[in-house]
Amino acid sequence: MLRLVVPVLVGLVFLAVIAGWLWYTTWLVRSAIDELAHRRRLLAGVDPLQVTAKKSLASAEAAHDSARSALSMTVEAWYELRESRAVGTAFVERFPRIEARAARDPDFLDVLEDADALLTEGRPAGSDSIDELLGQAARMDELNLQLRQLVHQYDAAGRRGFGRFFL
């Protein structure tokens, strides 16, 4: 009986080794094929991570361009109002008082100077530019908001009644 058990055990061990080798070879070939497919997707530019990175860069560039456009329009509008003395606008009567307050306020002048400096800077370039683009876009939005708030604050300073609180 012992003579039959030993060859059966050796045969089972041999079958287990062959099955393990086949499993390992199959896994190795499958991972090589997956790696080649991944490289092909990378070279074609259709890998999900690449597509996501491209979309996030495009989104950051769009946000940066939008913020730059809004800040540029606000600064240009201020300079046009100063140049035309607000003739033909709703500010024509109130603008001299608004301009006088703005000219005396160092905060307004600093914000206007920062906005001009930021508009003259170019778009940051490089592979790590998404963070820089979003940082600049946030800074432009902040300056735009500050400029608009200060102008509305100067305009509302001369008003009386409830109107100055709701504008």
Side-chain angles (χ1 to χ4, degrees):
M1 175 95 161
L2 192 56
R3 292 178 83 184
L4 288 173
V5 173
V6 171
V8 170
L9 286 177
V10 171
L12 287 175
V13 169
F14 182 70
L15 284 175
V17 168
I18 290 175
W21 179 80
L22 284 174
W23 179 83
Y24 175 73
T25 304
T26 305
W27 173 82
L28 192 61
V29 169
R30 184 178 298 152
S31 65
I33 291 171
D34 288 344
E35 182 63 28
L36 289 174
H38 183 255
R39 286 180 187 229
R40 182 181 46 80
R41 286 192 309 268
L42 284 175
L43 289 175
V46 294
D47 188 60
L49 292 177
Q50 281 181 317
V51 171
T52 303
K54 288 178 186 175
K55 285 182 181 177
S56 63
L57 180 62
S59 177
E61 287 174 346
H64 183 270
D65 292 342
S66 175
R68 177 181 282 283
S69 173
L71 182 62
S72 175
M73 288 189 322
T74 300
V75 170
E76 286 175 15
W78 173 254
Y79 286 132
E80 286 176 13
L81 283 173
R82 282 186 56 199
E83 208 173 284
S84 69
R85 307 298 302 155
V87 173
T89 67
F91 287 121
V92 71
E93 295 171 2
R94 300 183 312 257
F95 186 72
R97 185 179 62 247
I98 294 170
E99 184 182 24
R101 275 198 77 187
R104 289 190 313 260
D105 188 3
D107 291 338
F108 181 81
L109 297 175
D110 288 342
V111 170
L112 192 61
E113 184 178 322
D114 289 346
D116 281 334
L118 199 57
L119 286 172
T120 57
E121 286 181 15
R123 177 188 288 180
S127 61
D128 298 329
S129 65
I130 292 176
D131 292 339
E132 295 170 9
L133 281 174
L134 291 178
Q136 267 195 357
R139 179 72 178 134
M140 286 182 206
D141 285 340
E142 178 186 1
L143 289 173
N144 192 6
L145 179 64
Q146 286 177 350
L147 280 172
R148 289 175 176 272
Q149 282 180 338
L150 288 171
V151 169
H152 285 290
Q153 178 184 349
Y154 302 152
D155 186 31
R159 294 186 185 175
R160 294 176 187 245
F162 292 113
R164 68 179 227 186
F165 296 112
F166 297 110
L167 292 178

